[in-house]
Amino acid sequence: MAQEIKKIALLTGGGDCPGLNAVIRAVTKAAILNYGMEVIGYKFGYRGLYKNDFVPLTLDSVSGILNRGGTILYSSNKDNLFDYQVEEDGVIVKKDVSDVAVENLKKEGVDVLIVIGGDGTLTSARDFSRKGIKVIGVPKTIDNDLASTDVTFGFNTAIDVVTEALDRLHTTAESHHRIMLCEVMGRNAGWIALEAGIAGSADVILIPEIPYDINKIAEKVREREAEGKNFTIVVVAEGAKPKNGEVVVSKIVKDSPDPIRLGGIGNKLAEDLERLIVDHEVRCTVLGHIQRGGNTSTYDRILSTRYGVAAVELIREGKFGHMVCLKGDTISSDTLENVIGQQTKLVNPEGELVQIAKKIGTTFAE
Amino acid sequence: MAQEIKKIALLTGGGDCPGLNAVIRAVTKAAILNYGMEVIGYKFGYRGLYKNDFVPLTLDSVSGILNRGGTILYSSNKDNLFDYQVEEDGVIVKKDVSDVAVENLKKEGVDVLIVIGGDGTLTSARDFSRKGIKVIGVPKTIDNDLASTDVTFGFNTAIDVVTEALDRLHTTAESHHRIMLCEVMGRNAGWIALEAGIAGSADVILIPEIPYDINKIAEKVREREAEGKNFTIVVVAEGAKPKNGEVVVSKIVKDSPDPIRLGGIGNKLAEDLERLIVDHEVRCTVLGHIQRGGNTSTYDRILSTRYGVAAVELIREGKFGHMVCLKGDTISSDTLENVIGQQTKLVNPEGELVQIAKKIGTTFAE
Amino acid sequence: MAQEIKKIALLTGGGDCPGLNAVIRAVTKAAILNYGMEVIGYKFGYRGLYKNDFVPLTLDSVSGILNRGGTILYSSNKDNLFDYQVEEDGVIVKKDVSDVAVENLKKEGVDVLIVIGGDGTLTSARDFSRKGIKVIGVPKTIDNDLASTDVTFGFNTAIDVVTEALDRLHTTAESHHRIMLCEVMGRNAGWIALEAGIAGSADVILIPEIPYDINKIAEKVREREAEGKNFTIVVVAEGAKPKNGEVVVSKIVKDSPDPIRLGGIGNKLAEDLERLIVDHEVRCTVLGHIQRGGNTSTYDRILSTRYGVAAVELIREGKFGHMVCLKGDTISSDTLENVIGQQTKLVNPEGELVQIAKKIGTTFAE
Amino acid sequence: MAQEIKKIALLTGGGDCPGLNAVIRAVTKAAILNYGMEVIGYKFGYRGLYKNDFVPLTLDSVSGILNRGGTILYSSNKDNLFDYQVEEDGVIVKKDVSDVAVENLKKEGVDVLIVIGGDGTLTSARDFSRKGIKVIGVPKTIDNDLASTDVTFGFNTAIDVVTEALDRLHTTAESHHRIMLCEVMGRNAGWIALEAGIAGSADVILIPEIPYDINKIAEKVREREAEGKNFTIVVVAEGAKPKNGEVVVSKIVKDSPDPIRLGGIGNKLAEDLERLIVDHEVRCTVLGHIQRGGNTSTYDRILSTRYGVAAVELIREGKFGHMVCLKGDTISSDTLENVIGQQTKLVNPEGELVQIAKKIGTTFAE
């Protein structure tokens, strides 16, 4: 049956993430070298599918991209073709334009569509699958919070960047006896803060899953002073919440043009901590976009390559409507129907990693 | 004459800077190994001198610190012993306590004081010299803006960090067709923005020395689009100023607890640019403290080592009241009397580096 | 029962490996902070145990070592106390001195011995367990070839170093149209060559598990030329073997003082390839010791910390004679009796990773 | 006059070096953006000029190459068109084919030839200048040993790589109480060994300019032991020579296919040292090609960009037959006639850097 698959198309949706290009390269090489398929890539995610804007993907065009962050196919954040913003008679309306996409796939003779993206992008993939399109999904989230797969690419690169930043902040904190806050990605799940916090020797880790009490941070600072350590490193996930449940957004965050950079709690917390602990300076660094970009780590290059080749193998096996995933150390797959709508994989406050961090003296300021 | 120098003391003042530890190590090793001197280090800059709070510096205690950022002697930002804040009868007053410092030096038998610091710290060094203390200065400024020396340590490490960040931002900017701003250190002088901007392939560089016109940034964005490049990288020194002279501080910056992180123009500019260029997202990353810390670069390790050894040699030559400096490729020295009060070394808008940047297509948005 | 454990000792045996210090730190912090245990470390592995040469391990002494390669307890490669080389009456003899070690443990009041090491070191650990000593094992092998655990620390750092080297060699290979060989660690198992080869975009990967045919390498070179790619990157595990089974050691390797650096097939292969492919220069780089040292990667810092804390938890659970291990994403343990003598975990030529590499065009020159 | 320059050509000769691509990019951008020139690049150095094998260089083709090592124009090591190896009537003969090159330049309408290369490549450039070709030179040597310029690009990247390797070797040396040798580039001049040795905290530095006495290395090892430091780091330039003047090449080096990797003294020295110092293991790592490739450092990106723009400015000023150079911190130029044949810039044993190294306790084993 698989013999009939002659042409496949790829698209990348949502925020960029190290490893996207490695997946694109692996899909393209595996499809061409092993099965003689033709490969094209739609530009800017579903928008390109709607506008029939694509490029051919060849051995040449994917050469040299293995370690480059970003995506050579570009991406857009919000294009849902099932509820798409179009102009009609001078008025902006939302409508389902998915049939245009289906038509474009037919016109180009695309047999299978491989969709690399996060929850939103994959939900559309499932919906195209329901419309009869042969779809394969590849999961992407830099936050590592998908329940359907143990690890997603990009996460290892992100914690590398954060850990290196924490290493740098340590020397300044120590030299000036400061409290240094480092705000990192993680709206709903605290994986980046947790793992980079362990690797970067943070004294306090604040994550959305464990609401914090600011007084416990002050306690930790005092406790460290008593041990002769006059500085404290705090990693804060952007979605961290104070214990009383009230998410007080800082004055300096309001009306911010850049929710990724300023949307979190870091600056507010720095203000409050400096009032609470008057004999120490408190500084906050918001890592923002440098967590997403640049050179892809060794680990992510390998994982992305595995995902990309596995996606092509799913085609060969006729497993349409499936998404590749990693379980333990093994690549497998699950149906998009099962995967979509699953809960976000949150940090378990009773789980091993949190317990590990506590055992070596890190506090979550509960 | 130099035979009489038996004991020297070191202190580090002002903001931390990669290379401080390398200077401390070089001074200690050179003084002990070659001249059998005793070396001590005052903690927290002049505050330690005032409180007579010091540690012995030995071959052992400086082992392994060559490449570590920060300062093992700690530092403080604002302690001027000639105008020092003390409590008297329950009231905070400012007074000249420099005699206490002189007394402490005598009590400990310190023959020479080596002071590593920026303009403020070195001004006090000169004042102690005027009081008859044998002083040697070592210049420190991460901004590279001292007129008396061609290069200061820490600067190369800082532009390494910024350049790596720009490399990372490129892939995200390209993938999402965004305008990415990166705010870097540089209140008065734009050296970091200028050199990292050239090394990191910035399209627009905004520095205090060349007031910018926001419309020229928009023009550059349009021009790049016309060439098929749908993203733009802007490096902004925190002290960059709009051309009309009015420094409009962003709403999100007011009342900030952290002038280093938010004191600049980056976020305001991002807001304004997004209003001006509606069809592109604009994002700003403020690098902040990660520019100061962490591993010291190869270049800075060598330069700091040269400075440290040269400081000890100045002692041997009896050149008290001098500061080491680098002229071209040669280590030399100048008197603190000459050095203090010199103008900050600003970027020359007509100088070679600005012209180089322009010739390869970078704009300063004049 | 665990209440009676008051004092534990640690030792590290075998070749050094990034992550050893992270384990030492995690064990020490977890034991002191949670259970108030006293911790000491024997120096140079079993030799220190024999000579009763140890240091106390405190929160202070393990501060700042999380990311440092090597081991603060030092290590030695060949000291087996059950067959130990001693001088008796001027003659060197081998004898079982394990009772001396047992005596030393008693004398110091050590309740549990934690042994971090590879196969040889852990075999002795089992033997001490058989003698009634309470022992906990922590597996260490940079080659990742232990059957009893899915991943060992140090491996991720090693492939990071190799991958960066391959990135560097690419630009030179391409500029000069060369064939570049890179010899990496792996006497028996080819994991480093395989994973770094995938991450570093190697065209040819040679591992002990898949004997190679030199003519197939030449074929690959010709095939790439036909595609317009005039350079080829070959990763060679030091234990790679030619297909005919005859391990021809290079003239330049014989009598080498440094088996790690020159013991492999890389240089011989370069000689032979240059004779076979006369129109290309062939160069070989032997990475050697830089694969083992330096900064520990983010991944390995986390894994080592998990291992260290888990070792202390095994003590609390009374699971003496056990070794910590990682299965899938979960920390668990197994008895040393089961673990010792297991086959080395070799690369499966039919396994997923080899197949992945082949699907994207890498050859194993079978 | 400069108005008549409409088309320029570039070529790169000799071994590859980080920064070549940055020069190519800067020349191309400056020539096109400022003066509307047309730019082409000959492939494989002079060979491409002889075979008229070239590519157009455009803003597009130089995009994204600023930080990439190697040369997009390729290079070859030995092609001297004034004494070129050609086949005539089935016999290989050497003859002057420079007229063919001149003819090709005329045929393509090339007004100026920019030659980027080392001594050999620039000698040919001078010879073409003598033949009436308008030539501009850009100096290239990773060894930093050209007398006519203070710094050459590539050198800073090379010492970065070596310094990082030394950092890595330290942890292994310390853990195993070993003597670790690191052989680095430098046939005639020891700059890389000297500067990286200072930055990487080497205990012994061996360079061609200061013949060494092996017994002095052993002395240093003993001296360090007496201070409680049981490991020693030795950096050896490949051209280092023993004091007696006899360059004993190791058995393992003879017949080596790879002079860069094995041509030096490192392995021989390791053999000899292990015999001399029986109670320490001695290991040698030969860094080889990883010193030349990969990502270009911040410093080198800036320097190369300055050189490239300056080369175009020389054209504008009509300074043909000149080579760009750096004097102190200023870009200037000199005539190829002056530059060619100058002595190699050797390390001065009485110079500042050697003295600095000695003052902090490093020995040159004289």
Side-chain angles (χ1 to χ4, degrees):
Chain A
M1 180 226 58
Q3 271 73 338
E4 70 204 26
I5 306 298
K6 296 204 156 56
K7 186 168 182 178
I8 64 177
L10 261 167
L11 64 81
T12 53
D16 70 322
C17 183
L20 285 172
N21 280 327
V23 176
I24 294 169
R25 171 183 177 267
V27 166
T28 304
K29 292 188 101 171
I32 293 175
L33 292 173
N34 301 285
Y35 309 116
M37 295 170 182
E38 191 185 341
V39 190
I40 64 170
Y42 286 106
K43 290 161 79 173
F44 290 101
Y46 290 115
R47 192 198 307 168
L49 181 54
Y50 174 62
K51 299 187 172 174
N52 209 26
D53 183 12
F54 63 86
V55 286
L57 291 171
T58 65
L59 295 181
D60 245 32
S61 67
V62 300
S63 177
I65 68 171
L66 172 59
N67 61 350
R68 283 180 49 204
T71 159
I72 58 167
L73 293 179
Y74 310 114
S75 188
S76 78
N77 272 328
K78 21 191 170 181
D79 295 321
N80 175 3
L81 300 186
F82 294 86
D83 188 31
Y84 198 67
Q85 186 170 300
V86 288
E87 204 186 306
E88 279 189 352
D89 306 325
V91 187
I92 300 289
V93 296
K94 289 225 164 185
K95 56 185 287 194
D96 180 343
V97 298
S98 59
D99 285 342
V100 179
V102 172
E103 210 50 51
N104 284 336
L105 289 169
K106 274 195 193 131
K107 196 163 63 189
E108 299 304 327
V110 171
D111 298 308
V112 182
L113 177 67
I114 298 182
V115 171
I116 314 170
D119 215 52
T121 307
L122 292 176
T123 301
S124 286
R126 181 204 55 188
D127 295 342
F128 277 110
S129 182
R130 286 180 178 173
K131 284 182 91 108
I133 301 297
K134 293 192 176 78
V135 174
I136 301 288
V138 178
K140 181 229 63 155
T141 153
I142 206 161
D143 292 326
N144 204 28
D145 59 357
L146 283 188
S148 43
T149 185
D150 281 1
V151 194
T152 45
F153 58 86
F155 176 70
N156 181 263
T157 305
I159 62 172
D160 269 1
V161 171
V162 175
T163 300
E164 196 199 317
L166 293 177
D167 285 355
R168 291 194 178 278
L169 296 177
H170 259 90
T171 57
T172 294
E174 201 167 350
S175 299
H176 289 282
H177 284 195
R178 273 189 193 141
I179 300 163
M180 297 295 263
L181 273 67
C182 183
E183 185 181 315
V184 302
M185 290 188 294
R187 294 273 168 90
N188 304 306
W191 295 107
I192 290 179
L194 176 58
E195 298 214 13
I198 292 174
S201 199
D203 305 301
V204 183
I205 297 175
L206 306 178
I207 57 175
E209 294 88 342
I210 306 179
Y212 67 84
D213 176 348
I214 193 171
N215 298 300
K216 294 289 170 63
I217 305 176
E219 259 175 45
K220 180 72 183 177
V221 170
R222 295 306 172 202
E223 192 188 294
R224 284 177 58 80
E225 279 180 341
E227 295 162 8
K229 301 200 166 168
N230 292 293
F231 67 96
T232 297
I233 302 287
V234 183
V235 183
V236 204
E238 55 185 337
K241 289 183 277 286
K243 210 166 184 174
N244 53 24
E246 179 200 0
V247 184
V248 193
V249 174
S250 160
K251 268 179 298 182
I252 63 171
V253 170
K254 279 183 205 150
D255 308 318
S256 160
D258 188 351
I260 287 181
R261 209 188 59 68
L262 286 171
I265 199 75
N267 286 297
K268 170 65 179 161
L269 188 56
E271 288 176 32
D272 294 348
L273 269 177
E274 200 153 65
R275 272 192 292 270
L276 195 65
I277 311 170
V278 290
D279 56 346
H280 282 280
E281 290 175 322
V282 184
R283 293 286 181 275
C284 176
T285 297
V286 182
L287 288 185
H289 297 284
I290 61 169
Q291 295 167 87
R292 303 196 82 92
N295 240 0
T296 306
S297 78
T298 303
Y299 183 95
D300 282 334
R301 296 186 200 181
I302 297 168
L303 182 59
S304 305
T305 301
R306 293 171 74 186
Y307 274 178
V309 173
V312 175
E313 291 307 295
L314 285 182
I315 294 176
R316 292 291 294 178
E317 297 163 16
K319 289 191 167 174
F320 305 114
H322 274 239
M323 182 190 89
V324 297
C325 57
L326 185 77
K327 291 292 182 188
D329 203 39
T330 310
I331 291 285
S332 65
S333 76
D334 200 349
T335 64
L336 285 165
E337 291 292 346
N338 281 343
V339 160
I340 299 305
Q342 283 190 3
Q343 296 281 332
T344 297
K345 182 177 64 181
L346 298 180
V347 171
N348 176 2
E350 308 306 321
E352 187 222 337
L353 276 183
V354 170
Q355 297 311 310
I356 291 279
K358 287 182 179 177
K359 297 262 182 204
I360 56 170
T362 311
T363 183
F364 292 80
E366 292 161 273
Chain B
M1 178 227 55
Q3 272 74 338
E4 72 205 26
I5 306 298
K6 294 203 158 54
K7 186 170 182 176
I8 65 177
L10 259 169
L11 66 81
T12 52
D16 71 323
C17 184
L20 285 171
N21 281 327
V23 177
I24 294 169
R25 170 183 177 268
V27 166
T28 303
K29 293 189 100 170
I32 294 175
L33 291 174
N34 301 286
Y35 309 116
M37 296 171 183
E38 191 185 340
V39 189
I40 65 170
Y42 286 106
K43 290 161 78 173
F44 289 100
Y46 290 114
R47 191 197 309 168
L49 181 55
Y50 174 63
K51 299 186 172 175
N52 209 26
D53 182 12
F54 63 87
V55 286
L57 290 172
T58 65
L59 295 182
D60 245 31
S61 66
V62 300
S63 178
I65 67 170
L66 172 58
N67 61 350
R68 283 182 47 205
T71 159
I72 59 167
L73 293 179
Y74 310 114
S75 187
S76 77
N77 272 328
K78 25 194 168 181
D79 295 322
N80 175 4
L81 299 187
F82 294 87
D83 189 29
Y84 197 67
Q85 187 171 302
V86 290
E87 203 186 305
E88 276 187 353
D89 308 324
V91 186
I92 301 288
V93 296
K94 288 225 163 182
K95 55 183 290 194
D96 181 344
V97 299
S98 59
D99 285 342
V100 180
V102 172
E103 211 50 51
N104 285 337
L105 289 169
K106 274 196 192 131
K107 197 164 61 189
E108 300 303 326
V110 171
D111 298 309
V112 182
L113 179 66
I114 298 181
V115 171
I116 314 168
D119 215 52
T121 306
L122 293 176
T123 302
S124 286
R126 181 204 56 189
D127 295 342
F128 277 111
S129 182
R130 286 180 179 174
K131 283 182 92 111
I133 301 297
K134 292 193 177 77
V135 174
I136 301 288
V138 178
K140 181 228 63 151
T141 152
I142 206 162
D143 291 326
N144 204 28
D145 59 356
L146 284 187
S148 44
T149 185
D150 280 1
V151 194
T152 46
F153 58 85
F155 176 70
N156 180 264
T157 305
I159 60 172
D160 268 1
V161 171
V162 176
T163 301
E164 196 198 318
L166 293 178
D167 284 354
R168 290 192 178 280
L169 295 178
H170 258 90
T171 57
T172 294
E174 201 168 350
S175 300
H176 290 282
H177 284 196
R178 275 190 190 139
I179 299 164
M180 297 295 265
L181 273 68
C182 183
E183 185 180 314
V184 303
M185 290 189 295
R187 294 275 168 89
N188 304 307
W191 295 107
I192 290 179
L194 177 57
E195 298 214 13
I198 292 173
S201 198
D203 306 300
V204 183
I205 297 176
L206 307 178
I207 57 175
E209 295 89 342
I210 306 179
Y212 67 85
D213 177 348
I214 193 172
N215 298 299
K216 293 289 171 65
I217 305 176
E219 259 174 45
K220 180 72 182 176
V221 170
R222 297 306 172 201
E223 192 187 295
R224 284 178 58 79
E225 280 181 339
E227 294 162 9
K229 302 201 165 168
N230 292 294
F231 66 96
T232 297
I233 302 287
V234 183
V235 183
V236 203
E238 55 186 336
K241 288 183 280 284
K243 209 164 188 179
N244 55 22
E246 178 199 0
V247 183
V248 192
V249 173
S250 161
K251 266 178 299 182
I252 63 172
V253 169
K254 278 184 205 148
D255 307 319
S256 160
D258 188 350
I260 287 180
R261 208 187 59 69
L262 286 171
I265 198 75
N267 286 298
K268 171 64 179 160
L269 189 56
E271 288 176 33
D272 294 347
L273 268 177
E274 200 153 63
R275 272 192 291 270
L276 197 63
I277 310 171
V278 290
D279 55 347
H280 282 279
E281 291 175 322
V282 184
R283 293 288 180 273
C284 176
T285 297
V286 183
L287 287 185
H289 296 283
I290 61 169
Q291 293 168 89
R292 304 196 81 92
N295 240 0
T296 306
S297 79
T298 303
Y299 183 96
D300 282 334
R301 296 186 199 181
I302 297 168
L303 182 60
S304 305
T305 301
R306 294 171 73 186
Y307 274 177
V309 174
V312 175
E313 292 305 294
L314 285 181
I315 294 176
R316 293 290 295 179
E317 296 162 16
K319 289 192 169 174
F320 305 114
H322 275 240
M323 182 190 89
V324 296
C325 56
L326 184 78
K327 292 291 184 189
D329 203 41
T330 310
I331 290 285
S332 66
S333 76
D334 200 348
T335 64
L336 285 164
E337 292 292 346
N338 282 343
V339 161
I340 300 303
Q342 282 191 2
Q343 296 281 333
T344 296
K345 181 178 64 181
L346 298 180
V347 172
N348 176 1
E350 308 305 321
E352 186 221 339
L353 275 183
V354 171
Q355 297 312 312
I356 290 280
K358 288 181 178 176
K359 296 261 183 208
I360 55 170
T362 312
T363 183
F364 293 79
E366 292 160 272
Chain C
M1 180 226 54
Q3 272 73 339
E4 71 204 26
I5 306 297
K6 294 203 158 55
K7 185 170 183 175
I8 65 176
L10 259 168
L11 66 81
T12 52
D16 70 323
C17 185
L20 285 172
N21 280 327
V23 176
I24 294 169
R25 170 183 177 268
V27 166
T28 303
K29 293 189 101 171
I32 293 175
L33 291 174
N34 300 287
Y35 309 116
M37 296 170 182
E38 192 186 340
V39 189
I40 64 169
Y42 286 106
K43 291 161 77 173
F44 290 100
Y46 289 115
R47 192 198 309 169
L49 180 55
Y50 175 63
K51 299 187 171 173
N52 209 25
D53 183 12
F54 63 86
V55 287
L57 290 172
T58 65
L59 295 182
D60 245 32
S61 65
V62 300
S63 177
I65 68 171
L66 172 59
N67 61 351
R68 283 180 48 206
T71 159
I72 60 167
L73 293 179
Y74 309 113
S75 187
S76 77
N77 272 329
K78 25 195 167 177
D79 295 322
N80 175 3
L81 300 187
F82 294 87
D83 188 30
Y84 197 65
Q85 186 171 301
V86 289
E87 202 185 307
E88 276 187 354
D89 307 323
V91 186
I92 301 288
V93 295
K94 289 223 163 186
K95 55 184 289 194
D96 180 343
V97 299
S98 60
D99 285 342
V100 180
V102 172
E103 210 50 51
N104 284 337
L105 289 169
K106 275 195 192 128
K107 197 163 62 189
E108 300 303 328
V110 172
D111 298 309
V112 181
L113 177 67
I114 297 181
V115 171
I116 314 169
D119 214 52
T121 306
L122 292 177
T123 302
S124 286
R126 182 204 56 188
D127 294 342
F128 277 110
S129 182
R130 286 180 178 174
K131 284 182 91 108
I133 301 297
K134 292 193 177 78
V135 174
I136 301 288
V138 178
K140 180 228 64 152
T141 153
I142 205 161
D143 291 325
N144 203 28
D145 59 357
L146 284 187
S148 44
T149 185
D150 280 1
V151 194
T152 46
F153 58 84
F155 176 70
N156 180 263
T157 304
I159 60 171
D160 269 1
V161 172
V162 176
T163 300
E164 196 198 319
L166 293 178
D167 284 355
R168 290 194 178 280
L169 295 178
H170 258 91
T171 57
T172 294
E174 201 168 348
S175 299
H176 289 282
H177 284 194
R178 275 192 191 137
I179 299 164
M180 298 294 265
L181 273 68
C182 184
E183 185 180 315
V184 303
M185 290 188 294
R187 295 274 168 92
N188 305 305
W191 295 106
I192 290 178
L194 177 58
E195 297 214 12
I198 292 173
S201 198
D203 305 301
V204 184
I205 298 176
L206 307 179
I207 57 176
E209 294 89 342
I210 306 179
Y212 67 85
D213 176 347
I214 193 171
N215 298 300
K216 294 290 172 62
I217 306 176
E219 259 173 45
K220 180 73 181 176
V221 170
R222 296 308 173 200
E223 191 187 296
R224 284 177 58 79
E225 280 180 339
E227 294 163 7
K229 301 200 165 168
N230 292 294
F231 67 96
T232 297
I233 303 287
V234 183
V235 183
V236 203
E238 55 185 336
K241 288 184 277 286
K243 212 165 186 179
N244 54 22
E246 179 200 1
V247 184
V248 191
V249 173
S250 161
K251 268 179 296 182
I252 64 172
V253 169
K254 279 184 204 149
D255 308 318
S256 160
D258 188 351
I260 287 181
R261 209 188 57 69
L262 286 171
I265 198 74
N267 286 297
K268 170 64 180 161
L269 188 56
E271 288 175 32
D272 294 347
L273 269 177
E274 201 154 61
R275 271 192 291 270
L276 196 63
I277 310 171
V278 290
D279 56 346
H280 282 280
E281 292 175 321
V282 183
R283 293 286 181 273
C284 177
T285 297
V286 182
L287 288 184
H289 296 282
I290 60 170
Q291 293 167 88
R292 304 196 82 92
N295 240 359
T296 306
S297 79
T298 303
Y299 183 95
D300 282 334
R301 297 186 198 181
I302 297 168
L303 182 60
S304 305
T305 300
R306 293 171 74 186
Y307 274 177
V309 173
V312 175
E313 292 306 295
L314 286 182
I315 294 176
R316 293 292 294 179
E317 298 161 15
K319 289 192 168 172
F320 305 115
H322 274 239
M323 183 190 89
V324 297
C325 56
L326 184 79
K327 291 292 181 188
D329 203 40
T330 311
I331 291 285
S332 66
S333 75
D334 200 349
T335 64
L336 286 165
E337 291 292 348
N338 281 344
V339 160
I340 301 303
Q342 283 189 1
Q343 296 282 332
T344 297
K345 181 177 63 181
L346 298 180
V347 171
N348 176 2
E350 307 305 322
E352 186 221 341
L353 276 182
V354 170
Q355 297 312 311
I356 290 279
K358 287 181 179 177
K359 297 259 183 211
I360 56 170
T362 312
T363 182
F364 292 80
E366 292 160 274
Chain D
M1 180 229 51
Q3 272 74 339
E4 69 205 27
I5 306 298
K6 295 203 158 55
K7 185 168 182 178
I8 65 177
L10 262 166
L11 65 82
T12 53
D16 71 322
C17 184
L20 285 172
N21 280 327
V23 177
I24 294 169
R25 171 182 176 268
V27 165
T28 304
K29 292 188 101 171
I32 294 174
L33 292 173
N34 301 286
Y35 309 116
M37 295 170 183
E38 191 186 340
V39 190
I40 63 169
Y42 285 106
K43 290 161 79 173
F44 289 101
Y46 290 114
R47 192 197 309 169
L49 181 54
Y50 174 62
K51 299 187 172 174
N52 209 25
D53 183 12
F54 62 87
V55 286
L57 290 171
T58 65
L59 295 181
D60 244 32
S61 65
V62 301
S63 177
I65 68 170
L66 172 59
N67 61 351
R68 283 180 48 203
T71 159
I72 59 166
L73 293 179
Y74 311 113
S75 187
S76 76
N77 271 329
K78 21 192 169 177
D79 294 322
N80 176 3
L81 300 187
F82 294 88
D83 188 29
Y84 197 66
Q85 185 171 303
V86 288
E87 203 186 305
E88 277 188 353
D89 306 324
V91 185
I92 302 286
V93 296
K94 290 222 163 185
K95 56 184 288 193
D96 180 344
V97 299
S98 59
D99 284 342
V100 179
V102 172
E103 210 51 49
N104 284 336
L105 289 168
K106 273 194 195 134
K107 197 164 60 190
E108 300 302 327
V110 171
D111 298 309
V112 182
L113 177 67
I114 297 183
V115 171
I116 314 169
D119 215 52
T121 306
L122 292 176
T123 302
S124 286
R126 181 204 55 188
D127 295 342
F128 277 110
S129 181
R130 286 180 178 173
K131 283 183 92 108
I133 301 297
K134 293 193 176 79
V135 173
I136 301 289
V138 178
K140 180 228 65 154
T141 152
I142 205 161
D143 291 326
N144 204 27
D145 60 356
L146 284 187
S148 43
T149 186
D150 281 1
V151 194
T152 45
F153 58 85
F155 176 70
N156 181 263
T157 304
I159 61 172
D160 268 2
V161 171
V162 176
T163 300
E164 196 199 318
L166 293 177
D167 284 356
R168 290 194 178 278
L169 295 178
H170 259 90
T171 56
T172 294
E174 201 167 351
S175 300
H176 289 283
H177 285 195
R178 275 191 191 139
I179 300 164
M180 297 294 265
L181 273 68
C182 183
E183 186 181 315
V184 303
M185 289 188 295
R187 294 273 168 90
N188 305 305
W191 295 107
I192 289 179
L194 177 57
E195 298 214 12
I198 291 174
S201 199
D203 307 299
V204 183
I205 297 175
L206 307 180
I207 57 176
E209 294 88 342
I210 306 179
Y212 66 86
D213 176 347
I214 193 171
N215 298 300
K216 294 289 171 64
I217 305 175
E219 259 175 45
K220 181 71 183 179
V221 171
R222 297 305 173 203
E223 192 186 293
R224 284 178 57 79
E225 279 182 339
E227 294 162 8
K229 301 200 166 168
N230 292 294
F231 67 96
T232 298
I233 302 286
V234 183
V235 183
V236 203
E238 55 185 337
K241 288 183 278 286
K243 211 167 185 175
N244 54 23
E246 178 200 359
V247 184
V248 192
V249 173
S250 162
K251 267 178 298 181
I252 64 172
V253 169
K254 279 183 204 150
D255 307 319
S256 160
D258 189 351
I260 288 181
R261 206 187 60 68
L262 286 171
I265 199 74
N267 286 297
K268 170 65 181 160
L269 189 56
E271 288 176 32
D272 294 348
L273 268 177
E274 200 153 61
R275 272 192 291 269
L276 196 64
I277 310 170
V278 289
D279 56 346
H280 282 280
E281 290 174 322
V282 183
R283 293 285 181 274
C284 176
T285 298
V286 182
L287 288 184
H289 296 283
I290 61 170
Q291 294 167 87
R292 304 196 82 93
N295 240 0
T296 306
S297 78
T298 303
Y299 183 94
D300 282 334
R301 296 187 199 181
I302 297 168
L303 182 59
S304 305
T305 301
R306 293 172 74 187
Y307 274 178
V309 173
V312 174
E313 292 306 296
L314 286 182
I315 293 176
R316 292 293 292 178
E317 296 162 14
K319 288 192 169 173
F320 305 114
H322 275 240
M323 183 190 87
V324 297
C325 57
L326 186 78
K327 292 292 181 188
D329 203 40
T330 310
I331 291 284
S332 66
S333 76
D334 201 348
T335 63
L336 286 165
E337 290 293 346
N338 281 342
V339 160
I340 300 303
Q342 282 190 3
Q343 295 281 331
T344 296
K345 182 177 64 181
L346 297 180
V347 171
N348 176 3
E350 307 306 321
E352 187 222 338
L353 276 182
V354 170
Q355 298 311 311
I356 291 279
K358 287 182 178 175
K359 297 260 183 210
I360 56 170
T362 312
T363 183
F364 292 79
E366 292 160 275

